Each structure stands twice: as C-alpha cells, then as structure tokens.
Amino acid sequence: MLKKIFVLAILAVFAVMLFRSYGLVGANEELNEIATRYAQKGPEEVGAANLVTAVIVTYRGLDTLGEVTILFLAASIIGFFLKTKQQNEKTSENVRKTSEILETAARVITPVIFLFGVYVFINGHLTPGGGFQGGAILASGLVLMLLANPVKKVNHTIISLLESISGFSFLLLGVLGIILADGFLDNTILGTGDFGELISAGAIPIIYIFIGLKVGSELSGIVSNLQKTQKEEI
C-alpha cells in the first residue's frame, strides 16, 4: 500500500511539472535568425526543393555524420551481445511454419518495399524522405522476408560489405566538400542543376543514396542477428 502511495505521489509531481511547462509553451509565429537564413538562402545555395534535407545534409552535415555513427555503434553493440548470447545458449533449429498467405504476400510485396525505399532516398532532395527513412524501409522489407521464411539465411558478408562501402563513400564525399568546396558535405562539388529536377541539388542525391544504403544495411544487420536468436518451436 505504501509503495502505491509513493508511486502516485511521484506521478502527481510529474503531472504538476508538465502542466506548468505546458502553460509556458507558445507557438512560434516567426522564424528565428538561423531558420530565416536557411529559408531565404537555402534554395539558392543548395538547389534542393526539400529544404529539410538541405539543412540536414549540407548545413548540418556533421550532425548527420554523428547520427550515422550512433546508429553504427548501436548496431555493433546489439550484434555483439546477441552473438555472445548465441554462443552461450543452445538454439533450437525448429521454427513455427508460417502461413501460405504470408509467404505469397511477401513474394509480391517485398520487391515493392525495396523499390519504394530506393525511391524515398533518391528523391529525398525533392520530396519528404531521405536516407534514414529510405534505409528503414529497406530494412522493413527484410523483416517481411524473415517473417515469411524464418529459416532463410541472410548473407552477413554482403550486408557488412555494403555498409562499409556506403559509409566510406559518405565520408569521402564529406572530405571532398572540404577540399573542392566550402565545407564538409558541401553539395556544390557537383553542379546544382535545375531546381526541382531529379538531377539537381548537387551531391545531395548521391549523399542520400549512401546514407540510405548504410542505414538499411545496419538495420538489416540488427534484424538478421535477432533472427539467429529466435527460438520459436513448433
């Protein structure tokens, strides 16, 4: 009884704090100085119709590098612990059979998911989306494949190779921005092209291709490691 009272007291304190904070929050009617600079100069300087991706990939390119690094570390840590667990425990080879409906749907839908993921990160400079979103969609296609066929083997060599190549290429483009332009991941190392066209925004589409492949391969690596540790018996 005392424990419940204590929990309720803590919840009440947090409720009061959140209520007071809610009263202090108001809608921003004007852009701040930095946002105004992005909105006014962004389309002209980077040539991207989607200003959000322009900011993330160019002006805040180092932040994007940090996010990719965090994702890589998270995938590596998860893979390490799952591998250790698999070595210490004997896993069962018997898995529950999936339905024919799921297997058939996976054959049809999985290629569409992969194609849509590629579309999202290739067109990230024109429409909502980008490398992180497209990479997550690619990984979801792998999830569907493994749900339909849990015993399917995933080639970790290909995933690791794709992750390494895309990560190295991403860094190489960043360094080329420093050497050939005005800063890390500066997209003007290539011509900005015609505003709103697929071939535009300089190197942003290429950058997002490598980000999408890297994020997709890292998330796919996590999924495949989780698949190894599943123990759903018939």
Side-chain angles (χ1 to χ4, degrees):
M1 184 63 181
L2 184 61
K3 182 178 179 181
K4 293 181 179 180
I5 295 175
F6 181 71
V7 172
L8 290 174
I10 293 178
L11 292 176
V13 171
F14 275 104
V16 172
M17 293 172 60
L18 291 175
F19 181 78
R20 294 183 62 183
S21 299
Y22 174 78
L24 297 176
V25 176
N28 292 327
E29 299 180 356
E30 297 180 356
L31 297 176
N32 59 35
E33 183 179 353
I34 297 178
T36 301
R37 170 68 170 73
Y38 291 157
Q40 292 178 349
K41 300 293 185 180
E44 177 185 351
E45 291 179 347
V46 300
N50 185 349
L51 188 58
V52 175
T53 59
V55 172
I56 293 175
V57 176
T58 57
Y59 296 115
R60 303 186 64 178
L62 289 176
D63 289 351
T64 301
L65 176 61
E67 292 168 359
V68 172
T69 303
I70 291 172
L71 182 58
F72 169 74
L73 292 175
S76 302
I77 293 171
I78 292 173
F80 171 77
F81 281 107
L82 290 179
K83 183 177 181 180
T84 302
K85 181 178 179 181
Q86 186 182 12
Q87 291 175 345
N88 294 335
E89 298 181 6
K90 184 178 180 180
T91 59
S92 174
E93 296 294 334
N94 299 322
V95 295
R96 184 172 56 199
K97 183 175 177 57
T98 57
S99 68
E100 185 176 351
I101 295 177
L102 179 59
E103 293 178 0
T104 304
R107 295 192 194 101
V108 176
I109 297 176
T110 301
V112 178
I113 293 176
F114 288 147
L115 182 61
F116 180 62
V118 172
Y119 170 83
V120 168
F121 62 67
I122 287 181
N123 289 271
H125 61 298
L126 301 176
T127 59
F132 286 92
Q133 295 87 341
I137 293 172
L138 292 180
S140 69
L142 179 63
V143 171
L144 180 58
M145 285 175 48
L146 296 180
L147 286 175
N149 187 5
V151 297
K152 186 177 183 63
K153 301 296 184 182
V154 179
N155 194 323
H156 288 270
T157 302
I158 294 179
I159 292 178
S160 299
L161 183 62
L162 185 61
E163 179 186 353
S164 301
I165 293 175
S166 56
F168 175 78
S169 301
F170 172 71
L171 287 175
L172 180 61
L173 285 173
V175 174
L176 287 177
I178 298 175
I179 297 174
L180 303 178
D182 295 328
F184 184 77
L185 286 179
D186 192 322
N187 68 310
T188 57
I189 58 175
L190 300 176
T192 56
D194 296 328
F195 185 82
E197 298 293 332
L198 179 60
I199 307 301
S200 62
I204 289 181
I206 300 175
I207 294 171
Y208 259 142
I209 288 174
F210 291 129
I211 293 177
L213 292 176
K214 182 166 180 58
V215 171
S217 58
E218 287 173 349
L219 294 178
S220 297
I222 294 175
V223 170
S224 61
N225 284 323
L226 288 172
Q227 179 218 18
K228 284 186 174 182
T229 60
Q230 68 177 0
K231 300 179 181 181
E232 293 182 301
E233 298 186 3
I234 298 177

